[in-house]
Amino acid sequence: MLRLASSLLLISTTLALAAIESGPAVDSALPELKADAVTGDDAGKKITFTTTRKGKPTVYVFIRSDKFDRPIARYLKVLDKALAELGKDTHIVAVWITDDADKTREYLPKVQQSMKFEATTLALYAEDKLGPNAWVLNDRAHVTTIVTDGVKVKARFAEQSLNETNVPEVTAALKPLLK
């Protein structure tokens, strides 16, 4: 009986830690992304980020607004610092998926003021609580990170829990695009 219980626990733990599929497939064309820029040069405008960033290495980070916490903030801060150091026109577009656009529009400038991002634009998407359909975001993923060359998806990562220790895998996927 104890072995059965141990086996069931192991199976359930393994299933809980199984990778979450979220975001467009690797090597697929980058879908269009229109979102409301809240910080940066285009603050206050609805931007088609995939057009403005076309051909430029870009990391898109989709965050479920109700799941944003300190570990996710640390992840963004360390990722921002890493991209600022890489230079070469790399950029992060962090998109809050929200059902309360006004509250998020008010909140994100406070995040920017606190975190002092250098290579990150904060944006929001409130048209669908699951996010932009073409991006096939899984609602089980609290954060979905998509690494692109500005035209195609080069890597994707989806997590329910993450922090700054997840940044090296993202930068490792980005570095080959900078040569």
Side-chain angles (χ1 to χ4, degrees):
M1 188 67 159
L2 183 58
R3 284 187 186 171
L4 177 61
S6 295
S7 295
L8 290 174
L9 179 62
L10 180 61
I11 290 169
S12 65
T13 301
T14 302
L15 290 174
L17 296 175
I20 299 171
E21 293 291 322
S22 186
V26 172
D27 290 327
S28 67
L30 199 56
E32 180 179 86
L33 174 62
K34 282 186 181 181
D36 296 351
V38 180
T39 66
D41 294 339
D42 294 315
K45 299 177 187 171
K46 185 174 275 304
I47 300 296
T48 304
F49 285 101
T50 45
T51 300
T52 60
R53 297 292 309 158
K54 189 171 181 112
K56 300 173 186 171
T58 306
V59 178
Y60 293 93
V61 181
F62 293 92
I63 302 162
R64 302 256 167 235
S65 64
D66 61 329
K67 303 299 182 186
F68 183 67
D69 58 11
R70 287 181 188 264
I72 294 171
R74 285 194 312 268
Y75 168 75
L76 283 175
K77 181 61 180 171
V78 173
L79 185 59
D80 177 82
K81 183 179 180 194
L83 265 68
E85 289 172 2
L86 287 173
K88 300 193 181 195
D89 206 17
T90 59
H91 198 73
I92 300 165
V93 177
V95 182
W96 265 245
I97 307 299
T98 182
D99 57 0
D100 190 341
D102 292 335
K103 181 179 175 184
T104 305
R105 198 172 281 109
E106 184 179 311
Y107 177 67
L108 290 181
K110 295 174 186 172
V111 172
Q112 172 61 33
Q113 183 178 4
S114 171
M115 304 296 288
K116 300 186 182 351
F117 294 122
E118 296 176 42
T120 302
T121 297
L122 303 180
L124 68 88
Y125 185 89
E127 294 175 30
D128 185 330
K129 69 179 183 175
L130 297 177
N133 288 333
W135 286 76
V136 291
L137 301 174
N138 187 325
D139 63 343
R140 289 187 315 126
H142 298 178
V143 177
T144 299
T145 303
I146 309 293
V147 177
T148 78
D149 62 2
V151 178
K152 287 191 170 201
V153 174
K154 295 301 181 179
R156 66 182 185 168
F157 308 93
E159 308 290 340
Q160 285 186 331
S161 175
L162 83 166
N163 59 36
E164 68 276 11
T165 64
N166 296 85
V167 170
E169 65 187 351
V170 176
T171 56
L174 184 62
K175 283 181 182 177
L177 308 177
L178 305 178
K179 295 180 181 181

